[in-house]
Amino acid sequence: MRISVIGAGYVGLVTGACLAELGHHVLCTDNDKSKIDTLEAGKLPIFEPGLDSVVERNRQEGRLSFSADPRAAAEGDAIFICVGTPPLPTGDADLSAIDHVAQMIAVEAKSDKLVVEKSTVPAQTGQQLQRVLGIYGRRGGVRFRVASNPEFLREGTAIGDFLHPDRIVIGVDDEIAEKQLHEIYRPVLEQKFKCPVHDGACPPMKPPAWVVTTINSAELIKHASNSFLALKISYANMVSDLAEKLGANIEEVMHGVGLDPRIGPHFLRPGLGFGGFCLPKDVQAFVRLAERNGIDFAMLREAERINHQRITGFVEKLRHSLWVLKGKQIGILGLAFKANTDDIRFAPSIELIKKLQTEGVRLKAYDPQAMEKIGEQFPDLICASDAYQAARGADALLIVTEWEEFRNLDWKRIHKSMARPLVLDGRNLLSAQEMKSLGFEYHSVGRPDLAVSSSAGALA
Ligand code: UDX
């Protein structure tokens, strides 16, 4: 079966590369010619661990190719739609790219097609897709089968998530579509492929659950999953605020809570809130979808409010320590919305930078991967070449993304170089005990502050 993937963003590129890794012949298209030129030059337009080698190997072995002409995608027997569905000012998902692609497929298709929605879309999008394909279809006798196959890939671990998923959700209307998708995913279902994540030496993996539903249900599963994850994070953030007031430690609390299998240990990490291109926009779109169907999803709106509040609260914490913010020199460590990605879309760092700039603070920022992207968004932002430079002469250092390399910095050196050894750790990356012993004034999220002992200054 020839497979096409339309949209070579995070989802499309990982999907295309991994489908090729499974042995399929895949054509990835994107109407952004510069992106395709970059890919054809053997480079990646995004940073995703492990993706470069998967793309390169499959290109060389002739299973993966690229085209800047989306019409070329209509040659595929199965077409995965991975175009963006960004939020409109109303909070609804903008489905214009999906509409456009559907019209193009309808016009160009010369044989039967399996059209798979992979982008996150509101329930009932599949029905609209089927309608558009029918209305714009030019050739009689061409049959379009629509399926929903939501992605659950996390940036930073997307390759592993694709090849070793917990579940593969398939929303279909007929058996042939299900059979075709089963064939496409057979190597994943049987866990029979040379795993690039573990370099072939993959520990035996549990086969994923194969979940077959209606198209509407599959679409709803995706939105309901991401929104539930957002709820968990906002809940953990509220409990962490309370833990801080009561002198409890949120890590101990959530460890105890997460051991209940009905709750589970994941997505209970407090911090600066959820960001990225999925959770914030999917929650917004889900609230809007509910609203348009006469349901007030107040619980989710509250999760969003709590999420926005995280940055305001963080700035207030900084003010509490520094008293006056105006004119202070602040270092920012981490700009990506989470570690192991260069993605800054809806990252907490964006809101934080805007707020601190309004306060008249002098900023110097560093991230191991996101410097280029932040420079496009904030051309005036002073960027440091490494974490040490961001810290030098600063009145405070803020940890905004949980990059492992920040944990392993020479904090003694940083202590010496700062104007005032104050660290606000928005991700609970460091040990309060160790920071205290180095003489830092250190505040984290939902964990008790430890007073700096008078002898600690001797280290400086
Ligand atoms: C998410 C979903 O996890 C994935 O299934 C979906 O398909 C796409 O969206 P992603 O956006 O890559 O993936 O990141 P994820 O790891 O889910 O984190 C989302 C945000 O929540 C990040 O900003 C992260 O820092 C934050 N988060 C996550 C927390 O604040 N606390 C947690 O405990 C977990």
Side-chain angles (χ1 to χ4, degrees), residues 279-299:
L279 260 49
K281 88 173 163 62
D282 290 356
V283 171
Q284 255 187 43
F286 206 34
V287 169
R288 283 288 297 147
L289 177 70
E291 218 169 76
R292 274 188 285 102
N293 286 278
I295 293 167
D296 179 9
F297 220 143
M299 186 194 232

Side-chain angles (χ1 to χ4, degrees), residues 81 97-107 115 129 132-133 136:
I81 304 182
I98 298 217
D99 180 29
H100 189 77
V101 161
Q103 291 183 35
M104 181 279 293
I105 295 170
V107 171
V115 180
L129 199 55
V132 172
L133 289 164
Y136 289 86

